[in-house]
Amino acid sequence: MTRGTLQDGAGANAIWNITNVTRSDRHWFYTTPHWAKAMSEDNEVIDYISKHGADESSLLHPYYASSKEGIAEKVNDLLSISSIAGKEKFENAFVKGAPYNGEEEMSDKQFYQFMVWHRGLAVPAARNLDDAEVKKGKQLFMQIGCQYCHRPSWKTGSDDYWVDAASKAYAQSAGIPVSECLPKFANQTIWPYTDMVQHKLFMKNDIRTGWCRTTPLWGRGLSLQLTGAEDRLHDYRARNEVEAIMWHAYSKQSHAYNSAMKFYKLGKSDRDAVVKFLRAI
């Protein structure tokens, strides 16, 4: 919730800590000590580095040593660098050039271009909003209280965006004013169907002590068509919209218990209308 901007949580941070793509401001991997230790004890990894890492131009060279024990030590040390504090390790000869022999997987320009494209992505347009059953479903969605958390609409602000380090570095090198380096989309009316807040649903086998961010519903109605699956909720435990709604009522302590129970008590045709509405947005 503290990394809400596209450039931060979904961009600069996520493309690194989900895909492990290195760049100038993330010149290390997003790892854990347990993974580093496991890799250093993997004979296949050690043998591969021993075979291919001797060449100083090889991307594996920072991991290379004259003995398998030395390689294992370097693998553990290099893969343990997972934070800004770990950058100090890059200053000594033992890890100089890590993790890809000084090369980045994504240059500042490439990341800047990625963010320009990322910011311009549009959400799929809603469909069949004039359909009578969809209109009925929307009315019921509001009546049973879903809109209190899945807030339909927002008006965006002036889009005075924060700029990540890589995009800022490229803009400065290219002579582009940092305040104008990315496209702006100010004062837009959007329909994400979320309050952008976390609530407690108290579901079985929950994560993060039960807190769940209200998932934006826009675009989710295309899931079946585009992926062949209707999986819903933050961990995809629900196989369709009805299951997802009913998980909101797993506990009477759930913030959405009353709304979910109102849905449960609707007749089948009304429940079908709500589902059709959800698939339309």
Side-chain angles (χ1 to χ4, degrees), residues 148-157 187-197 218:
Y148 291 119
C149 295
H150 289 282
R151 174 177 165 175
S153 180
W154 289 84
K155 181 71 174 290
T156 67
N187 305 312
Q188 301 286 309
T189 298
I190 60 175
W191 297 82
Y193 286 88
T194 175
D195 59 4
M196 305 183 191
V197 174
W218 57 358

Side-chain angles (χ1 to χ4, degrees), residues 3 26 36 66 75 84 105 143 164 167 195 198 214 222 251-252 261 265 267:
R3 295 174 177 166
R26 295 285 200 283
S66 58
V75 168
I84 293 176
E105 289 184 281
Q143 286 179 357
D164 61 89
S167 294
D195 59 4
Q198 293 191 42
T214 306
L222 290 170
S251 168
K252 289 185 178 180
M261 289 306 298
K265 294 176 181 178

Side-chain angles (χ1 to χ4, degrees), residues 256-272:
Y257 178 79
N258 290 333
S259 293
M261 289 306 298
K262 287 179 181 178
F263 174 82
Y264 175 77
K265 294 176 181 178
L266 292 175
K268 185 179 185 306
S269 62
D270 285 346
R271 293 196 302 271
D272 289 345

Side-chain angles (χ1 to χ4, degrees), residues 197-201 203 206-207 210-214 234:
V197 174
Q198 293 191 42
H199 299 276
K200 277 205 169 185
L201 300 185
M203 295 186 293
D206 223 331
I207 61 173
W211 289 100
C212 295
R213 178 183 64 94
T214 306
H234 59 286

